[in-house]
Amino acid sequence: MSRSCAASGGYVGAQVALTRSISTAANNEQQSHFREISEPSSVEVVIEIPQGSFLKRGSTGKVDFISPLPCPFNYGSVPNYIGLDGDLLDAVVLGPRLPLGTKLRVKPWGAVMMTDRGLMDDKLICAEHSPDAAQREKVLRFFRFYAKCKGWLNMWRGRPGRNACEGWCKADDALARAQPRHDSWQAPPLEF
């Protein structure tokens, strides 16, 4: 019996060592990934919805709707890019509350891929420092909830199409999908 315990202890020990080795390799790969994106280029963002606001404004300044819940983040847009939905590329700025109309240069650390009325509607996630896993999860939880609420609002407004939070992606991917804004751009082709 002691031999089988020793043998199984050796087997278990080898499995633990292998698991630690895999975990260490995964951590190193994840840290390497974060080093690759550790210093993204900054983008200009204009705040349309200060953190804590109940008014949802669009990029043209018009009030889209009054929310029953306050916005947990500073929400705005990148005035130099047009998203796939035809409106300015959306951006969330993590950190303390910023006043309506604030213009700042900030680093995009990732993006949330949203579908609104069947159209891709990326949201850049910007901050002074890279958001940790808990912050990313908080952002994703908000946008999952937001997608459901927006789906109900769109249905009430008679605007068909799928609404969903598709997950997190690299900021570079969202910026690559966006188009540079031309001087002729006035407003999105559809009201939101």
Side-chain angles (χ1 to χ4, degrees):
M1 181 150 173
S2 64
R3 276 189 186 166
S4 66
C5 286
S8 71
Y11 174 76
V12 169
Q15 278 204 329
V16 168
L18 178 60
T19 301
R20 285 184 183 151
S21 173
I22 291 170
S23 177
T24 301
N27 278 342
N28 290 342
E29 183 177 324
Q30 185 178 25
Q31 288 173 356
S32 170
H33 170 71
F34 285 122
R35 277 194 296 272
E36 289 174 19
I37 62 166
S38 64
E39 289 302 321
S41 299
S42 63
V43 293
E44 182 180 29
V45 174
V46 177
I47 301 301
E48 300 160 356
I49 308 164
Q51 180 180 343
S53 178
F54 289 86
L55 296 178
K56 165 62 172 93
R57 295 180 189 276
S59 56
T60 61
K62 180 181 173 191
V63 174
D64 288 338
F65 59 86
I66 298 173
S67 173
L69 301 171
C71 187
F73 311 108
N74 297 294
Y75 195 94
S77 60
V78 180
N80 297 331
Y81 287 96
I82 306 296
L84 293 177
D85 62 351
D87 198 5
L88 296 178
L89 181 62
D90 293 327
V92 167
V93 179
L94 303 177
R97 185 178 198 277
L98 298 168
L100 174 68
T102 299
K103 292 181 183 180
L104 70 155
R105 291 203 66 82
V106 65
K107 297 174 184 173
W109 296 98
V112 172
M113 298 176 294
M114 291 284 296
T115 301
D116 186 359
R117 294 170 302 153
L119 302 170
M120 178 66 92
D121 186 17
D122 289 314
K123 317 290 185 188
L124 285 182
I125 308 303
C126 305
E128 188 69 29
H129 304 286
S130 178
D132 61 25
Q135 289 172 312
R136 288 192 305 271
E137 183 54 36
K138 181 180 177 183
V139 168
L140 285 171
R141 261 195 325 266
F142 168 75
F143 279 109
R144 287 180 196 121
F145 176 72
Y146 179 80
K148 289 178 184 177
C149 294
K150 192 72 183 278
W152 283 104
L153 180 63
N154 287 340
M155 191 168 64
W156 178 72
R157 289 176 168 175
R159 297 176 181 168
R162 182 173 176 270
N163 289 282
C165 174
E166 310 291 353
W168 191 273
C169 71
K170 294 179 185 177
D172 289 345
D173 293 344
L175 288 167
R177 284 190 287 271
Q179 298 294 316
R181 178 184 171 186
H182 300 287
D183 292 335
S184 61
W185 184 86
Q186 296 296 318
L190 299 170
E191 287 190 24
F192 291 88

